[in-house]
Amino acid sequence: MRKFFLSLLLAAAGLGGAHAAEVINLAIGEWAPFTSEKDPKGKLLETVVTEAFKLEGIEVKYSYYPWKRSSTMVEEGQSDGSFPWGKIPEREATFVFAKSPVMTDESVYFFPKSVPFDWKTIDDLKKYKVGVTIGYKNETVYKNKGIAAESVPQEELNFKKLAAGRLDVYETSKEVGYALIAKHLTPEEAKLITHHPKASEQMEYYIFFSKKNPKAKMYADKFDSGLAKLKASGGYAKIFAK
């Protein structure tokens, strides 16, 4: 009888059945169509990360902040990880990166149609009014190259400045850029902006984890394993085909 009641108590406490999935907390920002707090169609990479970890028995919980704050929270150990980020030496020294990129994406230079913008190397940007978003890798890239750039906290503000003629050029993902234009600019403003036909770079984007978390290496390995399984099953391709 005692064993019977003990079994009931364990079941009620959630201890008598299967173990609950481990939970990982990730801090991310607004970057539709890849990550978004409010746009249900803007969560492509959230779906990838959720499904990859799910295949390894890990549940993902998301918190949304400006990108700079998301990075700082991971660095300080207030969150387990964040994505999607490009690899640069400063970040590799600060975080534990998964080996496999979450995705590869094409970046381009956006500019007003009224500006005769052209480029061959990044040094050509020095003769233009350049925009950058706080916390993005180009802050460091431009600084190291001696390119003066105007910083703003949200990416969509750069597109508003392009439409208003206050910027000459801004680099970002082509897909994200046109999503921001459609969402934040009027049709009249959108018509004022175009992008250079030559890709500025093919960017690999990664997930990284807090070095203050002793499970960081394990999380990175689990993500790599889950992502490989997701791709092998065809699930990765299906997410981007929707």
Side-chain angles (χ1 to χ4, degrees):
M1 184 63 72
R2 287 182 180 177
K3 289 184 178 180
F4 174 74
F5 283 113
L6 178 59
S7 297
L8 288 178
L9 289 171
L10 288 172
L15 300 174
H19 292 291
E22 181 167 358
V23 175
I24 185 171
N25 295 288
L26 301 180
I28 58 176
E30 193 72 23
W31 211 49
F34 302 120
T35 64
S36 179
E37 180 177 13
K38 298 178 181 178
D39 183 358
K41 296 181 179 179
K43 298 175 178 286
L44 290 175
L45 289 188
E46 289 176 63
T47 304
V48 167
V49 171
T50 296
E51 292 301 314
F53 273 121
K54 185 178 180 181
L55 290 169
E56 298 297 318
I58 298 174
E59 178 186 350
V60 182
K61 290 192 175 180
Y62 297 103
S63 298
Y64 300 86
Y65 304 97
W67 285 108
K68 179 65 174 176
R69 185 179 173 191
S70 294
S71 175
T72 300
M73 289 182 70
V74 178
E75 183 176 358
E76 295 177 349
Q78 299 175 43
S79 188
D80 296 318
S82 183
F83 68 91
W85 296 88
K87 277 188 181 180
I88 55 176
E90 292 86 348
R91 289 180 188 151
E92 291 187 87
T94 305
F95 306 106
V96 176
F97 277 78
K99 292 179 181 179
S100 302
V102 183
M103 72 165 184
T104 301
D105 186 50
E106 182 177 271
S107 293
V108 296
Y109 290 117
F110 286 89
F111 61 98
K113 293 177 181 177
S114 60
V115 174
F117 173 75
D118 196 12
W119 72 285
K120 291 183 179 178
T121 72
I122 190 172
D123 289 324
D124 293 330
L125 297 185
K126 293 178 181 178
K127 58 188 175 185
Y128 298 101
K129 291 184 292 184
V130 181
V132 69
T133 303
I134 294 172
Y136 286 23
K137 78 176 182 69
N138 274 349
E139 271 194 308
T140 302
V141 172
Y142 293 156
K143 182 179 179 180
N144 292 341
K145 284 285 188 177
I147 298 169
E150 300 178 18
S151 300
V152 294
Q154 286 90 36
E155 192 166 24
E156 61 267 23
L157 296 177
N158 284 302
F159 286 94
K160 289 182 178 294
K161 292 171 76 172
L162 286 173
R166 293 161 53 203
L167 279 184
D168 293 333
V169 60
Y170 176 67
E171 182 193 22
T172 192
S173 156
K174 183 167 73 173
E175 191 158 355
V176 169
Y178 280 109
L180 288 168
I181 288 170
K183 183 176 181 181
H184 295 283
L185 301 188
T186 65
E188 291 73 22
E189 289 173 327
K191 291 177 183 177
L192 301 175
I193 299 173
T194 188
H195 73 276
H196 197 279
K198 182 173 70 172
S200 54
E201 56 186 329
Q202 290 289 331
M203 276 289 296
E204 290 185 333
Y205 291 94
Y206 293 83
I207 184 170
F208 61 55
F209 305 93
S210 174
K211 284 190 173 181
K212 292 192 174 182
N213 188 328
K215 294 183 177 181
K217 178 62 166 57
M218 181 273 285
Y219 285 143
D221 291 342
K222 288 288 188 182
F223 176 77
D224 284 329
S225 175
L227 184 62
K229 293 175 184 175
L230 187 63
K231 288 183 175 180
S233 71
Y236 184 92
K238 287 180 180 178
I239 290 169
F240 283 93
K242 292 179 180 179

